[in-house]
Amino acid sequence: MKGSLMGIVISLVIAALVALAAGDNGILVAGQNLMWLLAAVSFLVQWLAFVPAYLFQTEKFYDLTGSLTYISLAILAVTLAGTSSLPALLIAGMVVVWAVRLGSFLFLRI
């Protein structure tokens, strides 16, 4: 239990440092840095998926949840950044296609 809590704290600190470094002088959404919001959403999706996985003692949806996280963050980042540039949309689209392909492959092989 102590090791699990330490792992959670370490992952939160690393995510906060990455969001801080990547979001320095970045895009603000409702007064908050976009990177902080994306980091919070990624943890929220993972924690919400943890609840049924823990209750049913299964890791069956682990890969599907990872793909859902990538897809939601790519769409959220493009939407909240307010960008309509072709490179940004193309990269987000490629992330979504890759996440759907990989997530469905990993889920179907179970």
Side-chain angles (χ1 to χ4, degrees):
M1 178 73 170
K2 188 176 182 181
S4 297
L5 290 176
M6 183 60 78
I8 291 170
V9 169
I10 290 172
S11 66
L12 287 171
V13 168
I14 290 172
L17 291 173
V18 169
L20 181 66
D24 191 32
N25 296 323
I27 298 169
L28 296 179
V29 176
Q32 295 297 319
N33 193 297
L34 179 59
M35 290 304 294
W36 284 104
L37 178 63
L38 294 175
V41 168
S42 68
F43 275 94
L44 180 67
V45 170
Q46 295 297 312
W47 286 337
L48 287 175
F50 169 77
V51 172
Y54 181 78
L55 292 175
F56 296 113
Q57 292 297 300
T58 182
E59 57 185 59
K60 193 174 187 178
F61 301 107
Y62 177 77
D63 295 321
L64 200 57
T65 303
S67 291
L68 176 65
T69 304
Y70 271 108
I71 292 166
S72 61
L73 290 179
I75 292 170
L76 193 62
V78 168
T79 303
L80 292 180
T83 184
S84 60
S85 71
L86 184 61
L89 295 175
L90 185 61
I91 290 171
M94 291 187 324
V95 168
V96 168
V97 168
W98 170 80
V100 167
R101 187 207 62 81
L102 182 62
S104 61
F105 167 76
L106 293 172
F107 180 72
L108 292 174
R109 75 179 176 136
I110 294 178

